[in-house]
């Protein structure tokens, strides 16, 4: 695992879930993000060889972040991650099956 000290988890993110609600004006159902919880994270470095290998795959234009594995709730792949008011989709969730310390998330900016 690339992070061995929790001091490297020094940035903040918010997990959001899409919730349905009725518009008070039109009565139509609207999907909007609702905050679940926040946690600390750190970016994982990408090496040139990894970037070259990502071209033309689902991992193109993605970032890799690391959080503590044990959170308030289990992370779901359909959640949205908000970092500095920018929204990201979760492409992949990679748990640490051996030590259960850190969770690696591959994310892509929403269009």
């Amino acid at each position: 695992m690339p992070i061995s000290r929790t001091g490297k988890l020094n940035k903040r993110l918010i997990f959001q879930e899409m919730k349905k609600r009725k518009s008070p004006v039109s009565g139509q159902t609207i999907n909007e993000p609702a905050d679940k919880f926040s946690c600390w994270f750190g970016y994982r470095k990408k090496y040139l060889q990894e970037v070259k290998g990502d071209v033309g795959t689902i991992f193109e234009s993605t970032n890799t972040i690391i959080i503590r594995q044990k959170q308030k709730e289990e992370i779901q792949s359909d959640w949205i991650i908000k970092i500095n008011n920018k929204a990201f989709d979760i492409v992949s969730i990679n748990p640490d099956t051996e030590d259960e310390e850190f969770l690696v998330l591959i994310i892509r900016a929403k269009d």
Side-chain angles (χ1 to χ4, degrees):
M1 189 58 53
I3 290 187
S4 58
R5 295 188 330 256
T6 55
K8 295 203 179 221
L9 305 178
N10 58 5
K11 294 163 187 59
R12 203 80 173 147
L13 64 77
I14 300 171
F15 286 104
Q16 297 180 320
E17 179 180 37
M18 294 304 284
K19 293 280 187 175
K20 293 182 181 184
R21 73 169 184 88
K22 285 199 175 205
S23 169
V25 177
S26 65
Q28 292 182 335
T29 303
I30 301 171
N31 282 336
E32 60 183 17
D35 292 355
K36 297 290 284 177
F37 63 92
S38 64
C39 70
W40 296 100
F41 79 97
Y43 285 104
R44 180 183 169 272
K45 289 182 185 177
K46 264 194 174 181
Y47 298 97
L48 185 58
Q49 184 177 11
E50 292 174 305
V51 173
K52 285 181 182 178
D54 291 346
V55 175
T57 69
I58 63 166
F59 298 109
E60 187 173 9
S61 302
T62 60
N63 290 314
T64 304
I65 61 172
I66 299 170
I67 63 172
R68 286 182 181 263
Q69 187 155 320
K70 295 177 182 167
Q71 296 292 332
K72 294 178 183 179
E73 295 184 43
E74 186 175 336
I75 310 304
Q76 303 298 315
S77 60
D78 62 343
W79 287 359
I80 297 167
I81 295 177
K82 192 172 175 185
I83 301 172
N84 296 330
N85 291 322
K86 290 178 79 176
F88 295 84
D89 287 322
I90 299 174
V91 175
S92 179
I93 301 173
N94 302 310
D96 178 2
T97 55
E98 188 172 326
D99 298 324
E100 296 184 0
E101 288 187 43
F102 298 106
L103 186 70
V104 178
L105 300 172
I106 300 174
I107 61 173
R108 177 183 296 119
K110 290 181 80 61
D111 296 328

